Amino acid sequence: MMLAEKASRRLSFLGYLARATLTMLLLLAWVLPSTGQEADESRYISSLNSALDNLIAKLSKLPQQPVIFSANLLLAHGVGVERVPTNVLLEYIDALKEAGAQRIEFNPGVTNVDNPEVMEKYDAVVKHIRELGLRVEINLVYARVGNRDADMQVRNFREYADPAVKACAQFAAHYHPDYLVPVHEPVTMDARMGIRAGPDAWVAYLDAAIRAIKRASPNTRVGAGGWYGELPYYQAFAAMPNLDFLTIDIYADTKLNIYDQMVHIAHDANKPVSIEETWRPAFTGPLPQHAIATGIETHTIKGVGNADFEDLDVKWMKAMVLYASTHGMEAVTPFYSQSFFAYVTSGPDRPSDPAYNRKVVQAIAQGQRTKMFAEYRSLQQKFARSADPSSSPHSNP
């Protein structure tokens, strides 16, 4: 009995030890990924901080010139504008004006022109921008972000190009915008549509769009461009004599040598060039192959609105203004302008999250402003110039 009892106790202890070990392993399985994520985030912030400090120090020594301060009205994007109340969009515009924005950009989808409810919102948006004495830029896109798709399904490029040319003409005739960009990141748009159209197809579409826009609104300036991975398209656009200006989207600090090349291409072609979109590189893990198609920001570990990155965003904004100012660029546009009003410490923090955007809207209504807002306004006061006199807000009837 004694031996049996001892054996039983030993087995019981071993069972307890096994359960305790399993429990500890399960706890570690929860803790270690978090610890790894925190380490990754720390390295991300440290690395980008160092790179931006070096860039700012370098650019601060170069000759500087004024730039136009623009901002994207992201809640008016074609994928979500239908669900945003008009009064919210107008309050958003007022707040961007308060920050110092001289130009407001929005990105409608091609089929938005066929939706009377959406066009009523855009009517109010453009009217209010004009009333505030600001410039209007319309960047036509294939409206898809993540799983949110507001545009038609296409099987080939022609099924996109034909209605897109008509949409450009309709937006131009209806609003007479100061700037209209028919081509926004062609490779990104291809990925969203699930097609492959090379530079020649996009040039042909752009040429048709320019002619349609100029017939409808002769004084509207027409632009096109993209990010560093679209250099062949950008070179082809620069060679078009009827294109008024070029655009660059900067989301990577490690590719500034390519962006330098793109700026030189624009200057050699005697075309103004602007930063149409910019933000710091997203904090992500390994990205899936379809990341461009669905939007990098939908795959972030922590999104644009996370408070961990507010100081980093402030530094990025300064670096990009200096980059535009020292490289002879016409304008600079922070894309995720929601960050002017709200950062969060927990919960949804991506720019496409409805819950995060509700906090942004609430912050705007309550007069809350972030460090990013203050930095943008401070930089505007130091670097801003008057908008291009060749493009008057009321130069068209």
Side-chain angles (χ1 to χ4, degrees):
M1 290 294 294
M2 291 294 293
L3 289 174
E5 185 177 351
K6 287 181 179 180
S8 177
R9 288 178 178 177
R10 181 175 296 173
L11 288 173
S12 177
F13 174 75
L14 289 174
Y16 167 79
L17 185 62
R19 289 193 299 273
T21 302
L22 179 60
T23 300
M24 182 61 69
L25 289 173
L26 289 172
L27 286 172
L28 286 173
W30 282 98
V31 172
L32 287 177
S34 176
T35 303
Q37 177 181 312
E38 291 173 0
D40 288 343
E41 181 181 342
S42 179
R43 285 191 292 269
Y44 164 81
I45 292 175
S46 177
S47 175
L48 193 50
N49 259 321
S50 178
L52 291 175
D53 285 341
N54 292 334
L55 180 60
I56 290 170
K58 175 184 174 182
L59 296 176
S60 296
K61 298 175 183 178
L62 300 178
Q64 300 164 10
Q65 66 181 43
V67 297
I68 296 170
F69 278 68
S70 187
N72 194 286
L73 188 70
L74 199 54
L75 294 184
H77 194 286
V79 296
V81 65
E82 192 170 4
R83 295 180 290 276
V84 181
T86 300
N87 69 299
V88 167
L89 295 173
L90 302 188
E91 289 174 2
Y92 195 173
I93 295 168
D94 288 337
L96 292 176
K97 163 77 170 179
E98 179 191 342
Q102 300 168 288
R103 183 170 78 192
I104 304 296
E105 303 181 16
F106 62 94
N107 298 14
V110 173
T111 57
N112 285 149
V113 293
D114 301 320
N115 186 325
E117 182 180 347
V118 168
M119 292 305 288
E120 285 183 10
K121 293 178 186 290
Y122 286 148
D123 288 349
V125 162
V126 173
K127 180 182 178 183
H128 196 56
I129 294 171
R130 295 292 197 206
E131 289 172 344
L132 294 177
L134 307 179
R135 308 278 166 157
V136 176
E137 177 167 324
I138 297 175
N139 307 317
L140 192 71
V141 299
Y142 181 78
R144 180 186 176 195
V145 177
N147 295 322
R148 301 166 68 186
D149 192 347
D151 262 328
M152 69 286 189
Q153 298 294 318
V154 299
R155 293 165 296 180
N156 55 61
F157 187 68
R158 176 55 64 89
E159 290 186 355
Y160 170 77
D162 288 348
V165 169
K166 293 179 181 177
C168 285
Q170 288 175 271
F171 277 113
H174 196 60
Y175 296 123
H176 299 289
D178 302 294
Y179 313 84
L180 203 159
V181 178
V183 179
H184 171 89
E185 297 188 6
V187 171
T188 302
M189 297 302 108
D190 280 356
R192 291 179 182 176
M193 288 184 277
I195 63 175
R196 291 185 178 180
D200 289 345
W202 278 98
V203 165
Y205 155 67
L206 179 57
D207 182 67
I210 293 170
R211 288 185 279 110
I213 291 165
K214 293 294 186 178
R215 283 194 297 268
S217 181
N219 292 329
T220 293
R221 296 172 63 192
V222 185
W227 54 288
Y228 71 84
E230 300 172 328
L231 189 58
Y233 298 80
Y234 186 88
Q235 290 171 315
F237 300 154
M240 298 177 67
N242 55 348
L243 185 72
D244 294 319
F245 67 98
L246 288 159
T247 65
I248 297 176
D249 294 352
I250 302 181
Y251 290 94
D253 63 303
T254 59
K255 303 295 182 179
L256 290 180
N257 61 319
I258 301 178
Y259 289 122
D260 289 347
Q261 184 180 352
M262 295 170 80
V263 172
H264 287 308
I265 290 169
H267 289 166
D268 289 344
N270 294 314
K271 296 186 188 299
V273 57
S274 294
I275 300 177
E276 180 197 56
E277 290 185 6
T278 188
W279 206 258
R280 61 176 165 78
F283 175 50
T284 68
L287 292 170
Q289 288 184 332
H290 65 285
I292 292 178
T294 55
I296 300 296
E297 188 60 30
T298 65
H299 301 285
T300 52
I301 297 171
K302 291 185 178 180
V304 158
N306 193 283
D308 290 357
F309 306 127
E310 182 170 9
D311 291 337
L312 199 58
D313 292 342
V314 166
K315 194 171 290 188
W316 181 269
M317 188 74 251
K318 182 176 182 179
M320 289 301 101
V321 169
L322 279 169
Y323 186 84
S325 174
T326 57
H327 284 66
M329 304 186 79
E330 183 175 273
V332 59
T333 309
F335 187 60
Y336 297 116
S337 59
Q338 298 113 305
S339 67
F340 287 15
F341 313 106
Y343 283 92
V344 297
T345 56
S346 62
D349 55 15
R350 294 186 177 96
S352 58
D353 283 326
Y356 170 65
N357 282 316
R358 283 193 292 271
K359 292 184 178 180
V360 171
V361 171
Q362 184 180 33
I364 291 173
Q366 294 176 349
Q368 297 176 22
R369 306 294 183 255
T370 65
K371 294 178 184 177
M372 187 64 171
F373 177 98
E375 179 68 8
Y376 180 91
R377 184 164 61 180
S378 176
L379 291 165
Q380 194 269 4
Q381 291 169 351
K382 182 177 180 181
F383 288 95
R385 72 174 171 88
S386 59
D388 191 335
S390 67
S391 176
S392 169
H394 302 291
S395 58
N396 289 290

